[in-house]
Short mmCIF file of all heavy atoms in Angstrom, two decimals:
data_model
loop_
_atom_site.label_atom_id
_atom_site.label_comp_id
_atom_site.label_asym_id
_atom_site.label_seq_id
_atom_site.Cartn_x
_atom_site.Cartn_y
_atom_site.Cartn_z
N LYS H 628 169.09 37.62 109.60
CA LYS H 628 169.67 36.82 108.54
C LYS H 628 170.45 35.70 109.22
O LYS H 628 170.96 35.86 110.32
CB LYS H 628 170.61 37.67 107.67
CG LYS H 628 169.89 38.75 106.91
CD LYS H 628 170.91 39.66 106.18
CE LYS H 628 171.72 38.90 105.19
NZ LYS H 628 172.63 39.74 104.41
N LEU H 629 170.58 34.59 108.52
CA LEU H 629 171.25 33.43 109.11
C LEU H 629 172.72 33.75 109.45
O LEU H 629 173.22 33.31 110.45
CB LEU H 629 171.19 32.23 108.09
CG LEU H 629 171.70 30.92 108.67
CD1 LEU H 629 170.85 30.45 109.82
CD2 LEU H 629 171.70 29.87 107.60
N ASP H 630 173.36 34.58 108.61
CA ASP H 630 174.75 34.88 108.88
C ASP H 630 174.94 35.75 110.10
O ASP H 630 176.05 35.93 110.61
CB ASP H 630 175.45 35.51 107.66
CG ASP H 630 174.91 36.87 107.27
OD1 ASP H 630 173.94 37.33 107.89
OD2 ASP H 630 175.49 37.47 106.34
N ARG H 631 173.88 36.34 110.66
CA ARG H 631 173.96 37.08 111.92
C ARG H 631 174.00 36.12 113.08
O ARG H 631 174.48 36.45 114.16
CB ARG H 631 172.82 38.10 112.08
CG ARG H 631 172.67 39.13 110.98
CD ARG H 631 173.98 39.76 110.48
NE ARG H 631 174.86 40.26 111.52
CZ ARG H 631 176.15 40.24 111.46
NH1 ARG H 631 176.81 39.77 110.43
NH2 ARG H 631 176.85 40.68 112.48
N LEU H 632 173.47 34.93 112.89
CA LEU H 632 173.56 33.88 113.92
C LEU H 632 174.95 33.29 113.92
O LEU H 632 175.59 33.14 114.97
CB LEU H 632 172.50 32.79 113.65
CG LEU H 632 172.42 31.67 114.65
CD1 LEU H 632 172.07 32.16 116.03
CD2 LEU H 632 171.32 30.69 114.21
N SER H 633 175.43 32.93 112.75
CA SER H 633 176.76 32.39 112.64
C SER H 633 177.16 32.29 111.14
O SER H 633 176.29 32.09 110.30
CB SER H 633 176.87 31.01 113.27
OG SER H 633 178.20 30.50 113.14
N ARG H 634 178.46 32.37 110.88
CA ARG H 634 178.97 32.12 109.53
C ARG H 634 179.80 30.85 109.54
O ARG H 634 180.78 30.76 108.85
CB ARG H 634 179.82 33.30 109.11
CG ARG H 634 179.00 34.54 108.82
CD ARG H 634 179.84 35.68 108.25
NE ARG H 634 179.01 36.81 108.12
CZ ARG H 634 179.06 37.67 107.11
NH1 ARG H 634 179.89 37.44 106.12
NH2 ARG H 634 178.27 38.68 107.06
N ASP H 635 179.36 29.89 110.35
CA ASP H 635 180.04 28.65 110.54
C ASP H 635 179.05 27.53 110.28
O ASP H 635 178.12 27.35 111.08
CB ASP H 635 180.62 28.59 111.94
CG ASP H 635 181.41 27.32 112.25
OD1 ASP H 635 181.56 26.48 111.32
OD2 ASP H 635 181.87 27.20 113.38
N VAL H 636 179.27 26.75 109.25
CA VAL H 636 178.34 25.66 108.88
C VAL H 636 178.24 24.68 110.03
O VAL H 636 177.14 24.21 110.36
CB VAL H 636 178.80 24.93 107.59
CG1 VAL H 636 177.94 23.73 107.30
CG2 VAL H 636 178.82 25.86 106.43
N ALA H 637 179.35 24.33 110.67
CA ALA H 637 179.31 23.36 111.76
C ALA H 637 178.49 23.85 112.90
O ALA H 637 177.73 23.06 113.54
CB ALA H 637 180.76 23.05 112.20
N PHE H 638 178.56 25.15 113.21
CA PHE H 638 177.75 25.68 114.34
C PHE H 638 176.28 25.59 113.99
O PHE H 638 175.49 25.13 114.84
CB PHE H 638 178.15 27.17 114.58
CG PHE H 638 177.40 27.79 115.71
CD1 PHE H 638 177.80 27.57 117.02
CD2 PHE H 638 176.31 28.59 115.45
CE1 PHE H 638 177.11 28.18 118.06
CE2 PHE H 638 175.60 29.17 116.49
CZ PHE H 638 176.00 28.95 117.79
N ILE H 639 175.89 25.99 112.82
CA ILE H 639 174.47 25.90 112.38
C ILE H 639 174.03 24.46 112.36
O ILE H 639 172.93 24.13 112.83
CB ILE H 639 174.29 26.56 111.00
CG1 ILE H 639 174.65 28.06 111.02
CG2 ILE H 639 172.85 26.35 110.49
CD1 ILE H 639 173.81 28.93 111.88
N ALA H 640 174.85 23.57 111.82
CA ALA H 640 174.51 22.17 111.78
C ALA H 640 174.32 21.59 113.18
O ALA H 640 173.40 20.80 113.44
CB ALA H 640 175.60 21.36 111.03
N ASN H 641 175.17 22.03 114.10
CA ASN H 641 175.04 21.59 115.51
C ASN H 641 173.71 22.06 116.11
O ASN H 641 173.08 21.29 116.84
CB ASN H 641 176.24 22.10 116.31
CG ASN H 641 176.31 21.48 117.69
OD1 ASN H 641 175.97 20.30 117.88
ND2 ASN H 641 176.75 22.26 118.65
N LEU H 642 173.36 23.28 115.85
CA LEU H 642 172.09 23.81 116.35
C LEU H 642 170.90 22.98 115.79
O LEU H 642 169.98 22.60 116.53
CB LEU H 642 171.87 25.28 116.00
CG LEU H 642 172.76 26.28 116.68
CD1 LEU H 642 172.46 27.70 116.16
CD2 LEU H 642 172.60 26.23 118.20
N ILE H 643 171.00 22.65 114.51
CA ILE H 643 169.94 21.88 113.89
C ILE H 643 169.88 20.48 114.47
O ILE H 643 168.83 19.96 114.85
CB ILE H 643 170.13 21.81 112.33
CG1 ILE H 643 169.93 23.22 111.74
CG2 ILE H 643 169.15 20.80 111.71
CD1 ILE H 643 170.38 23.31 110.28
N THR H 644 171.06 19.86 114.63
CA THR H 644 171.15 18.49 115.17
C THR H 644 170.63 18.43 116.61
O THR H 644 169.95 17.48 116.96
CB THR H 644 172.61 17.99 115.11
OG1 THR H 644 173.09 18.06 113.79
CG2 THR H 644 172.75 16.59 115.65
N GLN H 645 170.95 19.47 117.38
CA GLN H 645 170.47 19.51 118.77
C GLN H 645 169.05 20.01 118.92
O GLN H 645 168.56 20.19 120.04
CB GLN H 645 171.44 20.33 119.62
CG GLN H 645 172.79 19.73 119.75
CD GLN H 645 173.69 20.55 120.64
OE1 GLN H 645 173.32 21.59 121.19
NE2 GLN H 645 174.94 20.10 120.78
N ARG H 646 168.46 20.28 117.80
CA ARG H 646 167.03 20.76 117.75
C ARG H 646 166.84 22.05 118.53
O ARG H 646 165.86 22.24 119.24
CB ARG H 646 166.08 19.68 118.25
CG ARG H 646 166.12 18.41 117.37
CD ARG H 646 165.04 17.44 117.79
NE ARG H 646 165.18 16.19 117.10
CZ ARG H 646 164.69 15.94 115.91
NH1 ARG H 646 164.02 16.82 115.24
NH2 ARG H 646 164.84 14.72 115.33
N VAL H 647 167.84 22.94 118.42
CA VAL H 647 167.70 24.27 119.04
C VAL H 647 166.89 25.09 118.08
O VAL H 647 167.25 25.30 116.92
CB VAL H 647 169.10 24.90 119.23
CG1 VAL H 647 168.96 26.32 119.74
CG2 VAL H 647 169.95 24.06 120.18
N PRO H 648 165.74 25.59 118.55
CA PRO H 648 164.87 26.35 117.63
C PRO H 648 165.40 27.74 117.32
O PRO H 648 165.76 28.49 118.25
CB PRO H 648 163.55 26.43 118.36
CG PRO H 648 163.89 26.25 119.79
CD PRO H 648 165.14 25.42 119.87
N PHE H 649 165.53 28.04 116.06
CA PHE H 649 165.91 29.36 115.61
C PHE H 649 165.18 29.67 114.31
O PHE H 649 164.87 28.78 113.55
CB PHE H 649 167.41 29.55 115.50
CG PHE H 649 168.04 28.70 114.46
CD1 PHE H 649 168.23 29.17 113.15
CD2 PHE H 649 168.51 27.43 114.75
CE1 PHE H 649 168.81 28.39 112.19
CE2 PHE H 649 169.11 26.65 113.78
CZ PHE H 649 169.26 27.11 112.48
N VAL H 650 164.95 30.97 114.10
CA VAL H 650 164.25 31.40 112.88
C VAL H 650 165.06 32.52 112.25
O VAL H 650 165.42 33.49 112.91
CB VAL H 650 162.82 31.90 113.21
CG1 VAL H 650 162.15 32.44 111.95
CG2 VAL H 650 162.01 30.80 113.83
N SER H 651 165.32 32.37 110.97
CA SER H 651 165.93 33.44 110.18
C SER H 651 164.78 34.15 109.45
O SER H 651 164.11 33.51 108.66
CB SER H 651 166.93 32.84 109.19
OG SER H 651 167.30 33.84 108.23
N VAL H 652 164.57 35.42 109.76
CA VAL H 652 163.50 36.18 109.15
C VAL H 652 163.66 36.17 107.62
O VAL H 652 162.68 36.03 106.88
CB VAL H 652 163.43 37.61 109.69
CG1 VAL H 652 162.42 38.45 108.95
CG2 VAL H 652 163.17 37.59 111.18
N GLU H 653 164.86 36.23 107.15
CA GLU H 653 165.19 36.23 105.72
C GLU H 653 164.68 34.95 105.03
O GLU H 653 164.14 35.00 103.92
CB GLU H 653 166.70 36.37 105.51
CG GLU H 653 167.15 36.30 104.08
CD GLU H 653 168.66 36.32 103.95
OE1 GLU H 653 169.33 35.52 104.67
OE2 GLU H 653 169.14 37.09 103.16
N LEU H 654 164.82 33.83 105.70
CA LEU H 654 164.44 32.56 105.11
C LEU H 654 163.05 32.10 105.53
O LEU H 654 162.44 31.22 104.88
CB LEU H 654 165.44 31.45 105.49
CG LEU H 654 166.90 31.75 105.06
CD1 LEU H 654 167.81 30.67 105.61
CD2 LEU H 654 166.99 31.81 103.58
N GLY H 655 162.56 32.63 106.62
CA GLY H 655 161.23 32.27 107.10
C GLY H 655 161.25 31.13 108.10
O GLY H 655 162.27 30.41 108.21
N ALA H 656 160.18 30.96 108.80
CA ALA H 656 160.11 29.95 109.87
C ALA H 656 160.04 28.55 109.33
O ALA H 656 160.34 27.62 110.05
CB ALA H 656 158.87 30.24 110.74
N ASP H 657 159.65 28.38 108.10
CA ASP H 657 159.52 27.02 107.53
C ASP H 657 160.71 26.59 106.70
O ASP H 657 160.61 25.62 105.93
CB ASP H 657 158.24 26.94 106.70
CG ASP H 657 158.19 27.95 105.53
OD1 ASP H 657 159.09 28.88 105.55
OD2 ASP H 657 157.35 27.79 104.66
N ALA H 658 161.87 27.28 106.86
CA ALA H 658 163.06 26.88 106.11
C ALA H 658 163.50 25.48 106.55
O ALA H 658 163.63 25.22 107.75
CB ALA H 658 164.19 27.87 106.32
N ASP H 659 163.75 24.61 105.58
CA ASP H 659 164.13 23.25 105.94
C ASP H 659 165.62 23.18 106.16
O ASP H 659 166.40 24.06 105.80
CB ASP H 659 163.65 22.25 104.87
CG ASP H 659 164.37 22.43 103.54
OD1 ASP H 659 165.08 23.44 103.35
OD2 ASP H 659 164.26 21.53 102.66
N PRO H 660 166.11 22.12 106.87
CA PRO H 660 167.51 22.00 107.18
C PRO H 660 168.44 22.06 105.97
O PRO H 660 169.56 22.61 106.07
CB PRO H 660 167.58 20.65 107.85
CG PRO H 660 166.24 20.45 108.45
CD PRO H 660 165.32 21.08 107.48
N PHE H 661 168.05 21.54 104.86
CA PHE H 661 168.86 21.57 103.63
C PHE H 661 169.12 23.01 103.24
O PHE H 661 170.27 23.39 102.97
CB PHE H 661 168.16 20.83 102.50
CG PHE H 661 168.92 20.88 101.20
CD1 PHE H 661 170.09 20.17 101.04
CD2 PHE H 661 168.47 21.70 100.13
CE1 PHE H 661 170.80 20.23 99.85
CE2 PHE H 661 169.16 21.78 98.98
CZ PHE H 661 170.34 21.00 98.80
N MET H 662 168.11 23.85 103.21
CA MET H 662 168.27 25.25 102.85
C MET H 662 169.13 25.96 103.87
O MET H 662 169.97 26.81 103.55
CB MET H 662 166.90 25.96 102.73
CG MET H 662 166.06 25.53 101.56
SD MET H 662 166.91 25.90 99.99
CE MET H 662 166.89 27.65 100.00
N LEU H 663 168.93 25.66 105.16
CA LEU H 663 169.74 26.27 106.19
C LEU H 663 171.19 25.93 106.00
O LEU H 663 172.08 26.78 106.17
CB LEU H 663 169.25 25.85 107.58
CG LEU H 663 167.87 26.39 107.99
CD1 LEU H 663 167.40 25.73 109.27
CD2 LEU H 663 167.88 27.87 108.10
N HIS H 664 171.48 24.67 105.67
CA HIS H 664 172.88 24.27 105.41
C HIS H 664 173.48 25.02 104.24
O HIS H 664 174.62 25.44 104.28
CB HIS H 664 172.98 22.76 105.18
CG HIS H 664 172.99 21.95 106.45
ND1 HIS H 664 171.86 21.47 107.05
CD2 HIS H 664 174.01 21.58 107.24
CE1 HIS H 664 172.17 20.80 108.13
NE2 HIS H 664 173.44 20.85 108.28
#
């Protein structure tokens, strides 16, 4: 689940911005950045 990676929006946004690949099984590999935010 995404919250197991972090419960901090800024941290998740930073991963997305830096193009660090991660997959949340709950959301699927094709989850777009908007949904992740």
Side-chain angles (χ1 to χ4, degrees):
K628 294 173 63 177
L629 188 63
D630 66 355
R631 302 318 311 146
L632 182 59
S633 180
R634 290 185 184 220
D635 182 2
V636 175
F638 181 81
I639 299 294
N641 189 35
L642 290 178
I643 293 168
T644 302
Q645 293 182 2
R646 299 186 188 275
V647 175
F649 64 91
V650 175
S651 168
V652 174
E653 177 185 49
L654 301 175
D657 59 346
D659 68 348
F661 177 73
M662 290 298 294
L663 291 172
H664 278 92

